[in-house]
Amino acid sequence: MTLKPTHLDDTGAANIVDVGAKPATQRRAVASGRITMSTDALEAIRNGNAPKGDVLSTARIAGIMAAKRTADLIPLCHPLALTKVGVDFAWEENGITVTATAATNGQTGVEMEALTAASVALLTLYDMAKALDRAMVLGDIRLLQKSGGRSGDWRAE
């Protein structure tokens, strides 16, 4: 079976997929990523002593804002009416894990919105703490799960 690219028309030009005939369903996606850093940077963030202020609150707001602007950043993404965006943090021994959730009742999925929220939250963590540790490493950005739509539910192994 040969798959036809969904974002190309018959002439090979890029276009946005027509989802107009698809039924609206509840859709949800969860993505995560990780930033590793020095013990000093991690403790400053945890204790609220980072030079730029409240790092986690700023990163949370940045992730939420990014999810809302995904269609402005990823050329062929549909603008979506998001019904929920959440950004959460988990402390680890040498870093922080970001988990972003996006939801909508719509005709296309929210995977890119969740991934964008996680990515921008990580970038904001870096920006807010770079005076403490310029060697921080961002990574492991991935989709953890999605639900809704024609393809149904999916969960990472």
Side-chain angles (χ1 to χ4, degrees):
M1 178 167 111
T2 303
L3 295 176
K4 179 182 175 204
T6 59
H7 286 77
L8 300 177
D9 67 15
D10 292 336
T11 69
N15 68 33
I16 196 164
V17 174
D18 183 358
V19 296
K22 292 172 70 176
T25 62
Q26 292 292 328
R27 296 163 184 267
R28 181 176 179 270
V30 180
S32 70
R34 188 167 191 283
I35 185 168
T36 58
M37 62 187 70
S38 68
T39 302
D40 290 343
L42 190 61
E43 287 306 310
I45 294 169
R46 188 189 314 261
N47 297 328
N49 298 329
K52 290 189 175 183
D54 187 347
V55 174
L56 296 183
S57 291
T58 303
R60 179 175 284 115
I61 292 168
I64 292 167
M65 290 175 64
K68 293 168 43 176
R69 301 297 301 262
T70 299
D72 294 330
L73 300 169
I74 311 293
L76 301 177
C77 281
H78 291 86
L80 300 179
L82 296 171
T83 57
K84 169 77 175 147
V85 177
V87 177
D88 296 306
F89 306 98
W91 300 104
E92 297 191 6
E93 184 177 335
N94 63 344
I96 300 170
T97 294
V98 173
T99 303
T101 303
T104 191
N105 182 7
Q107 297 165 302
T108 191
V110 289
E111 296 91 345
M112 294 310 299
E113 287 71 14
L115 286 161
T116 300
S119 299
V120 171
L122 287 166
L123 289 167
T124 303
L125 289 173
Y126 184 95
D127 180 56
M128 295 289 289
K130 67 186 175 201
L132 300 168
D133 181 4
R134 293 197 185 274
M136 291 178 283
V137 176
L138 287 67
D140 300 325
I141 300 167
R142 63 185 291 210
L143 183 66
L144 296 177
Q145 61 185 349
K146 59 94 47 198
S147 62
R150 182 177 60 220
S151 63
D153 297 351
W154 177 87
R155 183 177 297 267
E157 299 285 326

